[in-house]
Amino acid sequence: MVLVRPTLKRVPARVPTRKSPGAIVLADNECPYGLLPAVVERIAASSATTSRYPDRCAFELLAALATHLRVPVDRIAVGAGSSELCSQLVHTVVGPGDEVVFGWQSFEAYPILTLVAGGSPVRVPLLRQGLDLDAMARAVTRRTRLVFLCNPNNPTGTALDARALTTFADRVPSDVLIVVDEAYREYAAATAVPDALTLLGERPNVVVLRTFSKAYALAGLRVGYCVGSAEVIAGVRKTQVPFSVGALAQEAAVAALGERAEVARRIGLTLLERERVMSALHDLGYTVPSSHANFLWLPLREESSAFAEFCMRHGIAVRSFDGEGVRVTVGLAAENSAFLSLATRWRRERPTTAS
């Protein structure tokens, strides 16, 4: 007797793993500066009520986001981080056999969530480490229901400018949903990564996706949001797992929205470190695309796994994409310096490494 859907055989298994105690973790694109002060206070004041269910409708958070974004509440949906929102969006428009188009390599969840929903993932190879919008537009067929644009792109850090986004949106049929995933936009200059909500937000087939997991330092609390047409957002809300955004996550997100100055200060620190690490890697002979996010991409190709294993043996966790490259999160200054020391050793011990 077969109980599990055959299509799930194509989904990678999720095997529990334990992080090495004491390791420097530069693999997950987290904010290294801890919870924002206002978030700490809000959580402390709210912790006594966590024995109760959270507000299923996240009323206070939606109201705060509506004020922050200057859009009506009925155009906003929340979820347990951008990963759940990607799943909600896929389940809103994708049925069995429908296609979802995205660049590859991009956010790892895109093909997994598509397969779980019964859809068919369509991977479009990157061009010079960035999304190839011409090829992605050509990949759209009558079966396409959704296109993911990760901007800046994870894991390469490359970006699409306003002209590229607008031209692409003009080419995509109006019955195909375009999801602009802006999980990392806070780390990018406005001239490099436009605000897609301002640029494309009034188009009925565009949804803009954002998260509190990165610049707002709420990765462990799981809360994100998306903005789109009222019709699409109504569907997205229906596909959310009930109570998936916990009470503390809702409280923390509201508090985080009020910490603009501190968020900006921390972003500034990350950007300074990003440029320092990138410059040092260039000096060592590594090829590193200019990053518009809080991580750097080393296209080490067949050496990727060996480099990541070398780092892990010496106490630093980085993210390897086998056969393609290694993504390194920008951490604290001391953590980044420790990584650069290992990168120097690797280059010295393996001078012929392709990069």
Side-chain angles (χ1 to χ4, degrees), residues 249-336:
Q250 293 182 36
E251 295 282 353
V254 172
L257 286 174
E259 286 272 42
R260 294 189 185 187
E262 177 60 15
V263 170
R265 186 186 72 84
R266 294 174 173 204
I267 290 171
L269 294 175
T270 294
L271 298 187
L272 288 173
E273 281 297 294
R274 184 183 72 189
E275 297 310 306
R276 179 176 77 91
V277 176
M278 185 165 62
S279 177
L281 289 171
H282 284 157
D283 290 344
L284 289 169
Y286 290 90
T287 298
V288 185
S290 294
S291 175
H292 300 277
N294 67 331
F295 54 82
L296 296 169
W297 174 248
L298 281 66
L300 295 172
R301 297 185 287 279
E302 67 275 4
E303 295 284 337
S304 301
S305 295
F307 181 85
E309 290 167 4
F310 171 81
C311 289
M312 193 67 259
R313 287 198 304 272
H314 294 88
I316 298 180
V318 296
R319 179 68 175 89
S320 173
F321 296 80
D322 295 350
E324 297 185 48
V326 173
R327 189 190 68 200
V328 184
T329 304
V330 178
L332 299 172
E335 296 171 335
N336 299 330

Coordinates of all heavy atoms in Angstrom, one line a residue, residues 249-336:
A249 N 6.1 36.3 18.1 CA 6.5 36.8 16.8 C 5.7 38.0 16.4 O 6.3 39.0 15.9 CB 6.4 35.7 15.8
Q250 N 4.4 38.0 16.6 CA 3.6 39.2 16.3 C 4.0 40.4 17.1 O 4.2 41.5 16.5 CB 2.2 38.9 16.5 CG 1.6 37.8 15.5 CD 0.1 37.6 15.7 OE1 -0.7 38.5 16.0 NE2 -0.3 36.3 15.6
E251 N 4.2 40.2 18.4 CA 4.6 41.3 19.2 C 6.0 41.8 18.8 O 6.2 43.1 18.8 CB 4.6 40.9 20.7 CG 3.3 40.5 21.3 CD 2.4 41.7 21.6 OE1 2.9 42.8 21.6 OE2 1.2 41.5 22.0
A252 N 6.9 40.9 18.6 CA 8.3 41.3 18.2 C 8.3 42.1 16.9 O 9.0 43.1 16.8 CB 9.2 40.1 18.1
A253 N 7.5 41.7 15.9 CA 7.5 42.4 14.6 C 7.0 43.8 14.8 O 7.5 44.7 14.2 CB 6.7 41.6 13.6
V254 N 5.9 44.0 15.6 CA 5.4 45.3 15.8 C 6.5 46.2 16.4 O 6.7 47.3 16.0 CB 4.1 45.3 16.6 CG1 3.7 46.7 17.0 CG2 3.0 44.5 15.9
A255 N 7.2 45.7 17.4 CA 8.2 46.4 18.1 C 9.3 46.7 17.1 O 9.9 47.9 17.1 CB 8.7 45.7 19.3
A256 N 9.7 45.8 16.3 CA 10.8 46.0 15.4 C 10.6 47.1 14.4 O 11.5 47.8 14.0 CB 11.1 44.6 14.7
L257 N 9.3 47.2 14.0 CA 9.0 48.3 13.0 C 9.3 49.7 13.6 O 9.6 50.6 12.8 CB 7.5 48.2 12.6 CG 7.2 47.0 11.6 CD1 5.6 47.0 11.5 CD2 7.9 47.2 10.3
G258 N 9.3 49.8 14.9 CA 9.6 51.1 15.5 C 11.1 51.4 15.7 O 11.4 52.4 16.2
E259 N 11.9 50.4 15.4 CA 13.4 50.5 15.6 C 14.1 50.9 14.4 O 15.2 50.4 14.1 CB 13.9 49.2 16.2 CG 13.5 48.9 17.6 CD 14.5 49.5 18.6 OE1 14.9 50.7 18.4 OE2 14.8 48.8 19.6
R260 N 13.6 51.9 13.6 CA 14.3 52.2 12.3 C 15.7 52.6 12.5 O 16.6 52.3 11.7 CB 13.4 53.3 11.6 CG 12.0 52.8 11.2 CD 11.4 53.8 10.3 NE 10.0 53.5 10.0 CZ 9.2 54.1 9.2 NH1 9.7 55.2 8.5 NH2 8.0 53.8 8.9
A261 N 16.0 53.5 13.4 CA 17.3 54.0 13.6 C 18.3 52.9 13.9 O 19.4 52.9 13.4 CB 17.3 55.1 14.6
E262 N 17.9 52.0 14.8 CA 18.8 51.0 15.2 C 19.0 49.9 14.1 O 20.1 49.4 13.9 CB 18.3 50.3 16.5 CG 19.2 49.1 17.0 CD 20.6 49.4 17.3 OE1 20.9 50.6 17.4 OE2 21.4 48.5 17.4
V263 N 17.9 49.7 13.4 CA 18.0 48.8 12.2 C 19.0 49.4 11.2 O 19.9 48.7 10.7 CB 16.7 48.5 11.6 CG1 16.8 47.8 10.3 CG2 15.8 47.7 12.5
A264 N 18.9 50.6 10.9 CA 19.8 51.3 10.0 C 21.2 51.3 10.4 O 22.1 51.1 9.6 CB 19.3 52.7 9.7
R265 N 21.4 51.5 11.7 CA 22.8 51.4 12.3 C 23.4 50.1 12.1 O 24.6 49.9 11.6 CB 22.8 51.8 13.7 CG 24.2 51.9 14.4 CD 24.1 52.1 15.9 NE 23.8 50.9 16.5 CZ 24.6 49.9 16.9 NH1 25.9 50.1 16.6 NH2 24.2 48.8 17.5
R266 N 22.7 49.0 12.3 CA 23.2 47.7 12.2 C 23.4 47.3 10.7 O 24.4 46.7 10.4 CB 22.2 46.7 12.8 CG 22.0 46.8 14.3 CD 21.0 45.9 14.8 NE 20.9 45.9 16.3 CZ 20.4 44.9 17.0 NH1 19.9 43.8 16.3 NH2 20.4 44.9 18.3
I267 N 22.5 47.8 9.9 CA 22.8 47.5 8.4 C 24.1 48.2 8.0 O 24.8 47.6 7.2 CB 21.6 48.1 7.6 CG1 20.3 47.2 7.9 CG2 21.9 48.1 6.1 CD1 19.1 47.8 7.3
G268 N 24.3 49.4 8.5 CA 25.5 50.1 8.2 C 26.8 49.3 8.6 O 27.8 49.2 7.8
L269 N 26.7 48.7 9.8 CA 27.9 47.9 10.2 C 28.1 46.7 9.3 O 29.2 46.4 8.9 CB 27.6 47.4 11.6 CG 27.6 48.5 12.7 CD1 27.2 47.9 14.1 CD2 28.9 49.2 12.8
T270 N 27.0 46.1 8.9 CA 27.1 44.9 8.0 C 27.6 45.3 6.7 O 28.4 44.6 6.1 CB 25.7 44.3 7.8 OG1 25.2 43.7 9.1 CG2 25.7 43.1 6.8
L271 N 27.2 46.4 6.1 CA 27.7 46.9 4.8 C 29.2 47.2 4.9 O 29.9 46.8 3.9 CB 26.9 48.1 4.4 CG 25.4 47.9 4.1 CD1 24.8 49.2 3.5 CD2 25.1 46.7 3.3
L272 N 29.7 47.8 6.0 CA 31.1 48.0 6.1 C 31.9 46.7 6.1 O 32.9 46.6 5.5 CB 31.4 48.9 7.4 CG 31.0 50.3 7.3 CD1 31.1 50.9 8.7 CD2 31.8 51.1 6.3
E273 N 31.4 45.8 6.9 CA 32.0 44.5 6.9 C 32.0 43.7 5.6 O 32.9 43.0 5.2 CB 31.4 43.6 8.1 CG 31.9 44.0 9.4 CD 33.4 43.8 9.6 OE1 33.9 42.6 9.5 OE2 34.2 44.7 9.7
R274 N 30.8 43.9 4.9 CA 30.7 43.2 3.6 C 31.7 43.7 2.7 O 32.4 42.9 2.0 CB 29.3 43.5 3.0 CG 29.0 42.8 1.7 CD 27.6 43.2 1.2 NE 27.6 44.5 0.7 CZ 26.5 45.2 0.3 NH1 25.3 44.6 0.5 NH2 26.6 46.4 -0.1
E275 N 31.9 45.0 2.6 CA 32.9 45.6 1.7 C 34.4 45.2 2.1 O 35.2 44.9 1.3 CB 32.8 47.1 1.6 CG 31.5 47.6 1.1 CD 31.1 46.9 -0.2 OE1 31.9 46.9 -1.2 OE2 30.0 46.3 -0.3
R276 N 34.6 45.1 3.4 CA 35.9 44.7 3.9 C 36.3 43.3 3.5 O 37.3 43.0 3.0 CB 36.0 44.9 5.4 CG 37.4 44.5 6.0 CD 37.5 44.7 7.5 NE 36.7 43.7 8.3 CZ 37.2 42.6 8.8 NH1 38.5 42.3 8.5 NH2 36.5 41.8 9.5
V277 N 35.3 42.4 3.7 CA 35.5 41.0 3.4 C 35.6 40.8 1.9 O 36.5 40.1 1.4 CB 34.4 40.1 4.0 CG1 34.6 38.7 3.6 CG2 34.4 40.2 5.5
M278 N 34.8 41.4 1.2 CA 34.8 41.3 -0.3 C 36.1 41.8 -0.9 O 36.8 41.1 -1.7 CB 33.6 42.0 -0.9 CG 33.5 41.8 -2.4 SD 31.9 42.3 -3.1 CE 32.0 44.1 -2.7
S279 N 36.6 42.9 -0.4 CA 37.9 43.5 -0.8 C 39.0 42.5 -0.5 O 39.9 42.3 -1.3 CB 38.1 44.8 -0.2 OG 39.4 45.4 -0.6
A280 N 39.0 42.0 0.7 CA 40.1 41.1 1.1 C 40.1 39.8 0.3 O 41.1 39.3 -0.1 CB 39.9 40.7 2.6
L281 N 38.9 39.3 0.0 CA 38.8 38.1 -0.9 C 39.3 38.4 -2.3 O 40.0 37.5 -2.9 CB 37.4 37.6 -0.9 CG 36.8 36.9 0.4 CD1 35.3 36.7 0.3 CD2 37.6 35.7 0.7
H282 N 39.0 39.5 -2.8 CA 39.5 39.9 -4.1 C 41.0 39.9 -4.1 O 41.7 39.5 -5.0 CB 39.0 41.3 -4.5 CG 37.5 41.2 -5.0 ND1 36.7 42.3 -5.0 CD2 36.8 40.2 -5.5 CE1 35.5 42.0 -5.4 NE2 35.5 40.7 -5.8
D283 N 41.6 40.5 -3.0 CA 43.0 40.6 -2.9 C 43.7 39.2 -2.9 O 44.8 39.0 -3.3 CB 43.4 41.4 -1.7 CG 43.1 42.9 -1.8 OD1 42.9 43.3 -2.9 OD2 43.1 43.6 -0.8
L284 N 43.0 38.3 -2.3 CA 43.5 36.9 -2.2 C 43.3 36.1 -3.5 O 43.8 35.0 -3.7 CB 42.7 36.1 -1.1 CG 43.0 36.6 0.3 CD1 42.1 35.9 1.3 CD2 44.5 36.2 0.7
G285 N 42.6 36.7 -4.5 CA 42.5 36.1 -5.8 C 41.2 35.4 -6.0 O 41.0 34.7 -7.0
Y286 N 40.2 35.5 -5.1 CA 38.9 34.9 -5.3 C 38.0 35.8 -6.2 O 38.1 37.0 -6.2 CB 38.2 34.8 -3.9 CG 38.8 33.7 -3.0 CD1 39.8 34.1 -2.1 CD2 38.3 32.4 -3.0 CE1 40.3 33.2 -1.2 CE2 38.9 31.5 -2.1 CZ 39.8 31.9 -1.2 OH 40.4 30.9 -0.4
T287 N 37.2 35.1 -6.9 CA 36.2 35.8 -7.7 C 34.9 35.9 -6.9 O 34.4 34.9 -6.4 CB 35.9 35.0 -9.0 OG1 37.0 34.9 -9.8 CG2 34.8 35.7 -9.8
V288 N 34.5 37.1 -6.6 CA 33.3 37.4 -5.7 C 32.5 38.4 -6.4 O 32.9 39.6 -6.6 CB 33.7 37.9 -4.3 CG1 32.5 38.0 -3.4 CG2 34.8 36.9 -3.7
P289 N 31.3 38.1 -6.9 CA 30.4 39.1 -7.5 C 30.0 40.1 -6.4 O 30.0 39.9 -5.2 CB 29.1 38.3 -7.8 CG 29.5 36.8 -7.8 CD 30.6 36.7 -6.8
S290 N 29.8 41.4 -6.9 CA 29.3 42.4 -6.0 C 28.0 42.0 -5.4 O 27.1 41.6 -6.0 CB 29.2 43.7 -6.8 OG 30.4 44.2 -7.2
S291 N 28.0 42.1 -4.0 CA 26.8 41.6 -3.3 C 25.9 42.8 -2.9 O 26.4 43.8 -2.5 CB 27.2 40.8 -2.1 OG 26.1 40.5 -1.3
H292 N 24.6 42.6 -3.0 CA 23.7 43.6 -2.5 C 22.9 43.1 -1.3 O 21.8 43.6 -1.0 CB 22.7 44.0 -3.7 CG 23.4 44.5 -4.9 ND1 23.8 45.9 -4.9 CD2 23.9 44.0 -6.0 CE1 24.4 46.1 -6.1 NE2 24.5 44.9 -6.7
A293 N 23.4 42.0 -0.7 CA 22.7 41.4 0.5 C 23.7 41.3 1.6 O 24.8 42.0 1.6 CB 22.2 40.0 0.1
N294 N 23.4 40.5 2.6 CA 24.3 40.4 3.8 C 25.1 39.1 3.7 O 25.4 38.5 4.8 CB 23.4 40.4 5.1 CG 22.5 39.2 5.3 OD1 22.1 38.6 4.3 ND2 22.2 38.9 6.5
F295 N 25.5 38.8 2.5 CA 26.3 37.6 2.3 C 27.1 37.8 1.1 O 26.9 38.7 0.3 CB 25.4 36.3 2.2 CG 24.4 36.4 1.2 CD1 24.7 36.2 -0.2 CD2 23.1 36.7 1.5 CE1 23.7 36.3 -1.2 CE2 22.1 36.8 0.5 CZ 22.4 36.6 -0.8
L296 N 28.1 36.9 0.9 CA 29.0 36.9 -0.3 C 28.9 35.6 -0.9 O 28.7 34.5 -0.3 CB 30.4 37.3 0.1 CG 30.6 38.7 0.7 CD1 32.0 38.9 1.3 CD2 30.4 39.8 -0.4
W297 N 29.1 35.5 -2.2 CA 29.1 34.3 -3.0 C 30.5 34.0 -3.7 O 31.0 34.9 -4.3 CB 28.0 34.5 -4.1 CG 27.9 33.3 -5.1 CD1 28.3 33.4 -6.4 CD2 27.4 32.0 -4.9 NE1 28.0 32.2 -7.0 CE2 27.5 31.3 -6.1 CE3 27.0 31.4 -3.8 CZ2 27.1 30.0 -6.2 CZ3 26.6 30.0 -3.9 CH2 26.6 29.4 -5.1
L298 N 31.0 32.8 -3.4 CA 32.2 32.4 -4.0 C 31.9 31.3 -4.9 O 31.6 30.2 -4.5 CB 33.2 31.9 -2.9 CG 34.0 32.9 -2.0 CD1 33.0 33.7 -1.2 CD2 35.0 32.2 -1.2
P299 N 32.0 31.5 -6.3 CA 31.7 30.5 -7.3 C 32.8 29.5 -7.4 O 33.5 29.5 -8.4 CB 31.4 31.3 -8.5 CG 32.3 32.6 -8.4 CD 32.3 32.9 -6.9
L300 N 33.0 28.7 -6.4 CA 34.1 27.7 -6.4 C 33.9 26.5 -7.2 O 34.8 25.6 -7.3 CB 34.5 27.4 -5.0 CG 35.0 28.5 -4.1 CD1 35.1 28.1 -2.6 CD2 36.3 29.0 -4.6
R301 N 32.7 26.3 -7.7 CA 32.3 25.2 -8.6 C 32.7 23.8 -7.9 O 32.2 23.6 -6.8 CB 32.9 25.3 -9.9 CG 32.4 26.6 -10.7 CD 32.9 26.7 -12.1 NE 34.3 27.1 -12.1 CZ 34.8 28.3 -12.0 NH1 33.9 29.3 -11.8 NH2 36.1 28.6 -12.1
E302 N 33.5 23.0 -8.5 CA 33.7 21.7 -8.0 C 34.5 21.7 -6.7 O 34.6 20.6 -6.0 CB 34.5 20.8 -9.1 CG 35.9 21.3 -9.3 CD 36.0 22.4 -10.4 OE1 34.9 22.8 -10.9 OE2 37.1 22.8 -10.8
E303 N 35.0 22.8 -6.3 CA 35.8 22.9 -5.1 C 34.9 23.3 -3.9 O 35.3 23.4 -2.8 CB 36.9 23.9 -5.2 CG 38.0 23.5 -6.2 CD 38.9 22.4 -5.6 OE1 39.0 22.3 -4.4 OE2 39.6 21.7 -6.4
S304 N 33.6 23.5 -4.2 CA 32.7 24.1 -3.1 C 32.6 23.3 -1.9 O 32.8 23.7 -0.8 CB 31.3 24.4 -3.7 OG 31.4 25.2 -4.8
S305 N 32.3 22.0 -2.1 CA 32.2 21.1 -0.9 C 33.4 21.0 -0.1 O 33.4 21.0 1.2 CB 31.7 19.7 -1.3 OG 30.4 19.8 -1.9
A306 N 34.6 20.9 -0.8 CA 35.9 20.8 -0.1 C 36.2 22.0 0.7 O 36.7 21.9 1.8 CB 37.0 20.5 -1.1
F307 N 35.9 23.2 0.1 CA 36.1 24.4 0.8 C 35.2 24.5 2.1 O 35.7 24.9 3.2 CB 35.8 25.6 -0.1 CG 36.0 27.0 0.5 CD1 37.3 27.5 0.5 CD2 35.0 27.7 1.1 CE1 37.5 28.8 1.1 CE2 35.2 28.9 1.7 CZ 36.5 29.5 1.7
A308 N 33.9 24.2 2.0 CA 33.0 24.2 3.1 C 33.5 23.2 4.2 O 33.4 23.5 5.4 CB 31.6 23.9 2.7
E309 N 33.9 22.1 3.8 CA 34.4 21.1 4.8 C 35.6 21.6 5.5 O 35.8 21.3 6.7 CB 34.6 19.7 4.1 CG 33.3 19.1 3.6 CD 33.6 17.9 2.7 OE1 34.8 17.6 2.4 OE2 32.6 17.3 2.2
F310 N 36.5 22.2 4.7 CA 37.7 22.8 5.3 C 37.4 23.8 6.4 O 37.9 23.8 7.5 CB 38.6 23.4 4.2 CG 39.7 24.2 4.6 CD1 40.9 23.6 5.0 CD2 39.7 25.6 4.7 CE1 42.0 24.3 5.4 CE2 40.8 26.3 5.1 CZ 41.9 25.7 5.5
C311 N 36.4 24.7 6.0 CA 36.0 25.7 7.0 C 35.4 25.1 8.2 O 35.7 25.5 9.4 CB 35.0 26.6 6.3 SG 35.7 27.8 5.1
M312 N 34.6 24.0 8.0 CA 33.9 23.4 9.2 C 34.9 22.7 10.1 O 34.8 22.7 11.3 CB 32.9 22.4 8.6 CG 31.9 21.9 9.7 SD 30.8 23.2 10.3 CE 31.5 23.6 11.9
R313 N 35.9 22.1 9.5 CA 37.0 21.4 10.3 C 37.7 22.4 11.2 O 38.2 22.1 12.3 CB 38.0 20.7 9.4 CG 37.5 19.5 8.8 CD 38.7 18.6 8.3 NE 39.5 19.3 7.4 CZ 39.4 19.4 6.1 NH1 38.3 18.8 5.5 NH2 40.2 20.0 5.3
H314 N 37.7 23.7 10.8 CA 38.4 24.7 11.6 C 37.4 25.6 12.3 O 37.7 26.8 12.6 CB 39.3 25.5 10.6 CG 40.4 24.7 10.1 ND1 40.3 24.0 8.9 CD2 41.7 24.5 10.6 CE1 41.5 23.4 8.7 NE2 42.3 23.6 9.7
G315 N 36.1 25.2 12.4 CA 35.2 25.8 13.3 C 34.3 26.9 12.7 O 33.7 27.7 13.5
I316 N 34.2 27.0 11.4 CA 33.4 28.0 10.8 C 32.4 27.3 9.8 O 32.9 26.5 8.9 CB 34.2 29.0 10.0 CG1 35.0 29.8 11.0 CG2 33.2 30.0 9.3 CD1 35.9 30.9 10.3
A317 N 31.1 27.5 10.0 CA 30.1 26.9 9.1 C 29.7 27.9 8.0 O 29.3 29.0 8.3 CB 28.9 26.5 9.9
V318 N 29.9 27.5 6.7 CA 29.5 28.3 5.6 C 28.5 27.4 4.8 O 28.4 26.2 5.1 CB 30.7 28.7 4.7 CG1 31.6 29.7 5.5 CG2 31.5 27.5 4.2
R319 N 27.9 27.9 3.8 CA 26.8 27.2 3.1 C 27.4 26.8 1.7 O 27.6 27.7 0.9 CB 25.6 28.0 2.9 CG 24.4 27.3 2.2 CD 23.9 26.2 3.0 NE 22.7 25.6 2.2 CZ 22.8 24.7 1.3 NH1 24.0 24.2 0.9 NH2 21.7 24.2 0.7
S320 N 27.5 25.5 1.5 CA 27.9 25.0 0.2 C 26.8 24.6 -0.7 O 25.8 24.0 -0.3 CB 28.8 23.8 0.4 OG 29.2 23.2 -0.8
F321 N 26.9 25.0 -2.0 CA 26.0 24.5 -3.0 C 26.8 23.7 -3.9 O 27.5 24.2 -4.8 CB 25.3 25.7 -3.7 CG 24.5 26.6 -2.8 CD1 25.0 27.5 -2.0 CD2 23.1 26.4 -2.8 CE1 24.2 28.3 -1.1 CE2 22.3 27.2 -2.0 CZ 22.8 28.1 -1.2
D322 N 26.7 22.4 -3.8 CA 27.7 21.5 -4.4 C 27.8 21.7 -5.9 O 26.8 21.8 -6.6 CB 27.2 20.0 -4.1 CG 27.3 19.7 -2.7 OD1 27.9 20.4 -1.9 OD2 26.8 18.6 -2.3
G323 N 29.0 21.8 -6.4 CA 29.3 22.0 -7.8 C 29.0 23.4 -8.3 O 29.3 23.7 -9.5
E324 N 28.6 24.3 -7.4 CA 28.3 25.7 -7.8 C 29.1 26.7 -7.1 O 29.8 27.5 -7.7 CB 26.8 26.0 -7.7 CG 25.9 25.1 -8.6 CD 24.5 25.5 -8.5 OE1 24.2 26.7 -8.7 OE2 23.6 24.6 -8.3
G325 N 28.9 26.8 -5.8 CA 29.6 27.8 -5.0 C 29.4 27.7 -3.5 O 28.7 26.8 -3.0
V326 N 29.9 28.7 -2.8 CA 29.8 28.8 -1.4 C 29.3 30.1 -1.0 O 29.8 31.1 -1.5 CB 31.1 28.5 -0.7 CG1 31.0 28.7 0.8 CG2 31.6 27.1 -0.9
R327 N 28.2 30.2 -0.1 CA 27.7 31.4 0.4 C 28.2 31.6 1.8 O 28.1 30.7 2.6 CB 26.2 31.3 0.4 CG 25.5 32.7 0.7 CD 24.0 32.4 0.9 NE 23.7 31.7 2.1 CZ 22.6 31.0 2.3 NH1 21.6 31.0 1.4 NH2 22.5 30.4 3.5
V328 N 28.7 32.9 2.0 CA 29.2 33.2 3.3 C 28.5 34.4 3.9 O 28.5 35.5 3.3 CB 30.7 33.5 3.2 CG1 31.3 33.8 4.6 CG2 31.5 32.4 2.5
T329 N 27.8 34.2 5.0 CA 27.1 35.3 5.6 C 28.1 36.3 6.2 O 29.2 36.0 6.7 CB 26.2 34.8 6.8 OG1 25.4 33.8 6.3 CG2 25.4 36.0 7.4
V330 N 27.8 37.6 6.2 CA 28.6 38.6 6.8 C 28.2 38.7 8.3 O 27.1 39.0 8.6 CB 28.4 40.0 6.2 CG1 29.2 41.1 6.9 CG2 28.8 40.0 4.7
G331 N 29.2 38.3 9.1 CA 28.9 38.3 10.6 C 29.5 39.4 11.3 O 29.7 40.5 10.8
L332 N 29.9 39.1 12.6 CA 30.6 40.1 13.4 C 32.0 40.3 12.8 O 32.5 39.4 12.2 CB 30.6 39.7 14.8 CG 29.3 39.6 15.5 CD1 29.5 39.0 16.9 CD2 28.6 40.9 15.6
A333 N 32.6 41.4 13.1 CA 34.0 41.7 12.6 C 35.0 40.6 12.9 O 35.7 40.1 12.1 CB 34.5 43.0 13.2
A334 N 35.0 40.1 14.2 CA 35.9 39.0 14.6 C 35.6 37.7 13.8 O 36.5 37.0 13.5 CB 35.8 38.8 16.1
E335 N 34.3 37.4 13.6 CA 33.9 36.2 12.9 C 34.4 36.3 11.4 O 34.9 35.4 10.8 CB 32.4 36.0 12.9 CG 31.9 35.8 14.3 CD 30.4 35.8 14.4 OE1 29.7 36.5 13.6 OE2 29.8 35.2 15.3
N336 N 34.2 37.5 10.8 CA 34.6 37.7 9.4 C 36.2 37.6 9.3 O 36.7 37.0 8.3 CB 34.2 39.1 8.9 CG 32.7 39.2 9.0 OD1 31.9 38.2 8.8 ND2 32.2 40.4 9.2

